[in-house]
Amino acid sequence: MNVLDLTDTPLDRRTLRRSVPRARLDSASAAEAVIPIVDDVETRGRAAVLEYTQKFDSVSPDLLRVPAEELTAACENLDAGLRAALEETIRRCREVAENDRRSSATTTFSGGGSVTSRWLPVERVGLYVPGGLAVYPSTVIMNAVPAQAAGVDSIAIVSPPQANGLPHPTVLAAAALLGIDEVWAMGGAQSVAALAHGFDDGEELEPVDLITGPGNAFVAAAKARVRSVVGIDTIAGPTEIIILADDTADPALVAADLISQAEHDPMATSVLVTESQDLIDAVQQEIARQAAAAAHSERIRTALSGEQSAILKVASRQAGLAVVNAYAGEHVEVLVSDPQAAAEQITNAGAVFIGPFSPVALGDYCAGSNHVLPTSGTAAYASALGVQSFLKGSQIIDYPAAALAEVADHIETLAAAEDLPAHGEAVRLRRGKSGMEA
């Protein structure tokens, strides 16, 4: 891995944000490529989806919607150990999600006025589950469980078809375990467009209100294209890990966690932040040893040697924390002598993993946390996917005459100040009615 010496780098946010490594993505090219696809699906519906499925996936399925019997068969044929792992992941994620839902709250004022803030589930959501370099039944769980906990009634899953015209059987099995029976064998930009606009030519797909789930650059660009029509969770970049470590960290574990993230994608980002030169040397040796023996060694080497990945040497623990907060990483690991104290100072992170026995791999599967997280520095303002992602807030305002009377003068004054006299008139006309004070 490349080593960047930041020991003399100023710790202001502007400098640090320019100093940390990032994946450079040609988002403009992806956006340009998906525009005709999204627009074509909006116009021609299912016929266009079928054409793009043949073009990009080399598959021509008779039906895009997966038959119910295929979902049942995938669940019945699921390996027992894998089924137990998926069920435990579902259980833990559901337990966390159920504790995460906001409740309605009512604020009352003198005169009997009240404002009730309420949280209502989105009616229909579309969940994107990638195919590509790996199979992601865990992404089915991470998207569907919080949606179900939020009370979403209608959930549609899309995932790219394999040679048999169906998504991967493990993805189908995960959907079945969650009780989701609407799964579509389509991926890429065309599936995002289909979720946003729907179609009714040959099969019927009702448009959704919200699309969530990770995908490649073309999926991200398609989500950006349709976000004026539907809600989206985020426009995700490549996955990333940043590890804050000191000389108490086990270099074998540090290397293993950097490698595990690099395994996802050649553009994946792995960053180590430390003040220990001894740790840097030991981690480099461990990476060379472990990567050579890894199943996806070529992909891992590409990611770790890319400009998006690096070891950052800093002057102190506080400097390291400043770098971590400026980076605002998707996954942040804290492998220092007092991880809890350090973690409390990390304010920008999708998820924080504390200590040697809380690796990112735990969060990817069985921690109970969600692994759909903000990337590319957006953790500075964005949140992990969760129950709140599938809820929409609204307020009920209930002011009887006496309560309105208490603020009527203020309303008329503010309306005059903003040169909106009809606003003031709407209140003035109510004076003296139904017991309202003059």
Side-chain angles (χ1 to χ4, degrees), residues 148-183:
Q148 291 175 330
V152 175
D153 286 330
S154 179
I155 298 175
I157 292 175
V158 297
S159 191
Q162 298 187 302
N164 65 355
L166 298 171
H168 194 279
T170 312
V171 168
L172 299 182
L177 289 173
L178 289 159
I180 297 173
D181 61 7
E182 185 179 351
V183 182

Short mmCIF file of all heavy atoms in Angstrom, two decimals, residues 148-183:
data_model
loop_
_atom_site.label_atom_id
_atom_site.label_comp_id
_atom_site.label_asym_id
_atom_site.label_seq_id
_atom_site.Cartn_x
_atom_site.Cartn_y
_atom_site.Cartn_z
N GLN A 148 -39.65 -3.19 6.71
CA GLN A 148 -40.74 -3.90 7.37
C GLN A 148 -40.98 -3.36 8.78
O GLN A 148 -42.13 -3.20 9.21
CB GLN A 148 -40.42 -5.40 7.42
CG GLN A 148 -40.46 -6.07 6.05
CD GLN A 148 -40.02 -7.52 6.09
OE1 GLN A 148 -39.20 -7.93 6.91
NE2 GLN A 148 -40.55 -8.33 5.18
N ALA A 149 -39.92 -3.05 9.50
CA ALA A 149 -40.07 -2.49 10.84
C ALA A 149 -40.75 -1.13 10.81
O ALA A 149 -41.45 -0.75 11.74
CB ALA A 149 -38.71 -2.39 11.53
N ALA A 150 -40.54 -0.40 9.73
CA ALA A 150 -41.17 0.91 9.59
C ALA A 150 -42.66 0.78 9.27
O ALA A 150 -43.42 1.75 9.42
CB ALA A 150 -40.49 1.71 8.48
N GLY A 151 -43.08 -0.40 8.81
CA GLY A 151 -44.49 -0.61 8.48
C GLY A 151 -44.81 -0.50 7.01
O GLY A 151 -45.97 -0.35 6.63
N VAL A 152 -43.78 -0.57 6.15
CA VAL A 152 -44.01 -0.50 4.70
C VAL A 152 -44.83 -1.72 4.28
O VAL A 152 -44.47 -2.86 4.57
CB VAL A 152 -42.67 -0.45 3.94
CG1 VAL A 152 -42.92 -0.51 2.43
CG2 VAL A 152 -41.89 0.80 4.31
N ASP A 153 -45.92 -1.48 3.56
CA ASP A 153 -46.82 -2.57 3.18
C ASP A 153 -46.40 -3.26 1.89
O ASP A 153 -46.65 -4.45 1.70
CB ASP A 153 -48.25 -2.03 3.00
CG ASP A 153 -48.92 -1.72 4.33
OD1 ASP A 153 -48.58 -2.38 5.34
OD2 ASP A 153 -49.77 -0.82 4.36
N SER A 154 -45.77 -2.52 0.98
CA SER A 154 -45.50 -3.06 -0.35
C SER A 154 -44.01 -2.93 -0.66
O SER A 154 -43.48 -1.81 -0.72
CB SER A 154 -46.33 -2.30 -1.40
OG SER A 154 -46.07 -2.79 -2.69
N ILE A 155 -43.34 -4.07 -0.86
CA ILE A 155 -41.90 -4.10 -1.11
C ILE A 155 -41.64 -4.90 -2.37
O ILE A 155 -42.10 -6.04 -2.51
CB ILE A 155 -41.14 -4.73 0.07
CG1 ILE A 155 -41.33 -3.89 1.35
CG2 ILE A 155 -39.66 -4.87 -0.25
CD1 ILE A 155 -40.72 -4.51 2.59
N ALA A 156 -40.88 -4.30 -3.30
CA ALA A 156 -40.46 -5.00 -4.52
C ALA A 156 -38.94 -5.06 -4.56
O ALA A 156 -38.27 -4.05 -4.33
CB ALA A 156 -40.99 -4.28 -5.76
N ILE A 157 -38.40 -6.23 -4.81
CA ILE A 157 -36.95 -6.42 -4.91
C ILE A 157 -36.58 -6.60 -6.38
O ILE A 157 -37.27 -7.33 -7.11
CB ILE A 157 -36.50 -7.65 -4.11
CG1 ILE A 157 -36.68 -7.40 -2.60
CG2 ILE A 157 -35.04 -8.01 -4.41
CD1 ILE A 157 -36.37 -8.61 -1.73
N VAL A 158 -35.51 -5.94 -6.81
CA VAL A 158 -34.95 -6.19 -8.14
C VAL A 158 -33.51 -6.65 -7.96
O VAL A 158 -32.78 -6.16 -7.12
CB VAL A 158 -35.01 -4.94 -9.05
CG1 VAL A 158 -36.44 -4.54 -9.31
CG2 VAL A 158 -34.23 -3.78 -8.47
N SER A 159 -33.12 -7.63 -8.79
CA SER A 159 -31.76 -8.15 -8.75
C SER A 159 -31.44 -8.75 -10.11
O SER A 159 -32.31 -9.37 -10.74
CB SER A 159 -31.62 -9.21 -7.65
OG SER A 159 -30.27 -9.55 -7.42
N PRO A 160 -30.21 -8.58 -10.60
CA PRO A 160 -29.88 -9.03 -11.95
C PRO A 160 -30.08 -10.53 -12.13
O PRO A 160 -29.80 -11.32 -11.23
CB PRO A 160 -28.40 -8.66 -12.09
CG PRO A 160 -28.16 -7.59 -11.08
CD PRO A 160 -29.07 -7.91 -9.94
N PRO A 161 -30.55 -10.94 -13.32
CA PRO A 161 -30.74 -12.37 -13.59
C PRO A 161 -29.42 -13.06 -13.93
O PRO A 161 -28.49 -12.46 -14.47
CB PRO A 161 -31.68 -12.38 -14.80
CG PRO A 161 -31.34 -11.10 -15.52
CD PRO A 161 -31.00 -10.11 -14.44
N GLN A 162 -29.37 -14.35 -13.62
CA GLN A 162 -28.27 -15.19 -14.05
C GLN A 162 -28.63 -15.85 -15.39
O GLN A 162 -29.63 -15.50 -16.00
CB GLN A 162 -27.99 -16.25 -12.98
CG GLN A 162 -27.57 -15.65 -11.64
CD GLN A 162 -27.14 -16.72 -10.66
OE1 GLN A 162 -27.91 -17.63 -10.35
NE2 GLN A 162 -25.91 -16.63 -10.18
N ALA A 163 -27.83 -16.81 -15.81
CA ALA A 163 -28.05 -17.45 -17.10
C ALA A 163 -29.42 -18.11 -17.21
O ALA A 163 -29.99 -18.20 -18.30
CB ALA A 163 -26.95 -18.47 -17.37
N ASN A 164 -29.98 -18.55 -16.08
CA ASN A 164 -31.29 -19.21 -16.09
C ASN A 164 -32.45 -18.22 -16.07
O ASN A 164 -33.62 -18.62 -15.99
CB ASN A 164 -31.41 -20.20 -14.94
CG ASN A 164 -31.38 -19.51 -13.57
OD1 ASN A 164 -31.17 -18.30 -13.47
ND2 ASN A 164 -31.56 -20.29 -12.52
N GLY A 165 -32.13 -16.93 -16.11
CA GLY A 165 -33.18 -15.92 -16.12
C GLY A 165 -33.69 -15.51 -14.76
O GLY A 165 -34.62 -14.70 -14.66
N LEU A 166 -33.09 -16.04 -13.71
CA LEU A 166 -33.51 -15.73 -12.34
C LEU A 166 -32.36 -15.11 -11.56
O LEU A 166 -31.19 -15.39 -11.83
CB LEU A 166 -33.96 -17.01 -11.61
CG LEU A 166 -35.16 -17.75 -12.18
CD1 LEU A 166 -35.32 -19.10 -11.47
CD2 LEU A 166 -36.43 -16.92 -12.05
N PRO A 167 -32.66 -14.27 -10.57
CA PRO A 167 -31.60 -13.82 -9.66
C PRO A 167 -30.99 -15.02 -8.94
O PRO A 167 -31.53 -16.13 -8.94
CB PRO A 167 -32.35 -12.90 -8.68
CG PRO A 167 -33.57 -12.46 -9.42
CD PRO A 167 -33.96 -13.64 -10.27
N HIS A 168 -29.87 -14.77 -8.29
CA HIS A 168 -29.18 -15.85 -7.58
C HIS A 168 -30.13 -16.51 -6.58
O HIS A 168 -30.90 -15.83 -5.88
CB HIS A 168 -27.96 -15.30 -6.85
CG HIS A 168 -27.02 -16.35 -6.37
ND1 HIS A 168 -27.23 -17.07 -5.22
CD2 HIS A 168 -25.86 -16.84 -6.92
CE1 HIS A 168 -26.24 -17.94 -5.05
NE2 HIS A 168 -25.41 -17.82 -6.07
N PRO A 169 -30.11 -17.85 -6.47
CA PRO A 169 -31.05 -18.53 -5.58
C PRO A 169 -30.94 -18.11 -4.12
O PRO A 169 -31.94 -18.16 -3.38
CB PRO A 169 -30.72 -20.02 -5.77
CG PRO A 169 -29.37 -20.05 -6.41
CD PRO A 169 -29.27 -18.81 -7.22
N THR A 170 -29.75 -17.71 -3.68
CA THR A 170 -29.63 -17.28 -2.29
C THR A 170 -30.34 -15.96 -2.06
O THR A 170 -30.91 -15.72 -0.99
CB THR A 170 -28.15 -17.16 -1.89
OG1 THR A 170 -27.46 -18.33 -2.31
CG2 THR A 170 -28.01 -17.00 -0.39
N VAL A 171 -30.32 -15.09 -3.06
CA VAL A 171 -31.09 -13.84 -2.97
C VAL A 171 -32.59 -14.16 -2.91
O VAL A 171 -33.33 -13.58 -2.10
CB VAL A 171 -30.77 -12.93 -4.17
CG1 VAL A 171 -31.75 -11.77 -4.27
CG2 VAL A 171 -29.34 -12.41 -4.07
N LEU A 172 -33.03 -15.10 -3.74
CA LEU A 172 -34.44 -15.49 -3.72
C LEU A 172 -34.82 -16.11 -2.38
O LEU A 172 -35.90 -15.83 -1.83
CB LEU A 172 -34.72 -16.49 -4.85
CG LEU A 172 -34.47 -16.01 -6.28
CD1 LEU A 172 -34.84 -17.11 -7.27
CD2 LEU A 172 -35.24 -14.74 -6.57
N ALA A 173 -33.93 -16.92 -1.83
CA ALA A 173 -34.21 -17.56 -0.54
C ALA A 173 -34.31 -16.53 0.57
O ALA A 173 -35.19 -16.62 1.43
CB ALA A 173 -33.12 -18.58 -0.22
N ALA A 174 -33.43 -15.54 0.55
CA ALA A 174 -33.48 -14.49 1.57
C ALA A 174 -34.79 -13.73 1.49
O ALA A 174 -35.41 -13.42 2.52
CB ALA A 174 -32.30 -13.53 1.40
N ALA A 175 -35.26 -13.44 0.27
CA ALA A 175 -36.55 -12.78 0.12
C ALA A 175 -37.68 -13.63 0.69
O ALA A 175 -38.57 -13.13 1.39
CB ALA A 175 -36.81 -12.46 -1.36
N ALA A 176 -37.63 -14.92 0.40
CA ALA A 176 -38.67 -15.82 0.90
C ALA A 176 -38.65 -15.89 2.42
O ALA A 176 -39.72 -15.91 3.06
CB ALA A 176 -38.47 -17.22 0.30
N LEU A 177 -37.46 -15.94 3.02
CA LEU A 177 -37.37 -15.96 4.48
C LEU A 177 -37.98 -14.71 5.11
O LEU A 177 -38.50 -14.76 6.23
CB LEU A 177 -35.92 -16.10 4.92
CG LEU A 177 -35.24 -17.45 4.67
CD1 LEU A 177 -33.75 -17.38 5.00
CD2 LEU A 177 -35.91 -18.55 5.50
N LEU A 178 -37.94 -13.62 4.39
CA LEU A 178 -38.48 -12.36 4.89
C LEU A 178 -39.96 -12.18 4.54
O LEU A 178 -40.57 -11.17 4.89
CB LEU A 178 -37.69 -11.19 4.31
CG LEU A 178 -36.28 -11.03 4.88
CD1 LEU A 178 -35.41 -10.22 3.93
CD2 LEU A 178 -36.33 -10.37 6.26
N GLY A 179 -40.52 -13.14 3.81
CA GLY A 179 -41.93 -13.05 3.45
C GLY A 179 -42.20 -12.10 2.30
O GLY A 179 -43.33 -11.64 2.12
N ILE A 180 -41.19 -11.81 1.48
CA ILE A 180 -41.37 -10.91 0.33
C ILE A 180 -41.58 -11.76 -0.91
O ILE A 180 -40.74 -12.59 -1.26
CB ILE A 180 -40.14 -10.00 0.17
CG1 ILE A 180 -39.99 -9.10 1.39
CG2 ILE A 180 -40.25 -9.16 -1.11
CD1 ILE A 180 -38.72 -8.28 1.40
N ASP A 181 -42.71 -11.57 -1.58
CA ASP A 181 -43.03 -12.40 -2.74
C ASP A 181 -42.94 -11.67 -4.07
O ASP A 181 -43.23 -12.24 -5.12
CB ASP A 181 -44.42 -13.02 -2.58
CG ASP A 181 -45.53 -11.98 -2.48
OD1 ASP A 181 -45.25 -10.77 -2.65
OD2 ASP A 181 -46.69 -12.36 -2.22
N GLU A 182 -42.56 -10.39 -4.04
CA GLU A 182 -42.43 -9.63 -5.28
C GLU A 182 -40.95 -9.40 -5.58
O GLU A 182 -40.30 -8.51 -5.02
CB GLU A 182 -43.16 -8.30 -5.22
CG GLU A 182 -43.13 -7.57 -6.55
CD GLU A 182 -43.88 -6.24 -6.54
OE1 GLU A 182 -44.58 -5.94 -5.54
OE2 GLU A 182 -43.76 -5.48 -7.52
N VAL A 183 -40.40 -10.23 -6.44
CA VAL A 183 -38.99 -10.15 -6.82
C VAL A 183 -38.93 -10.13 -8.34
O VAL A 183 -39.59 -10.95 -9.01
CB VAL A 183 -38.19 -11.34 -6.27
CG1 VAL A 183 -36.72 -11.20 -6.66
CG2 VAL A 183 -38.33 -11.44 -4.75
#
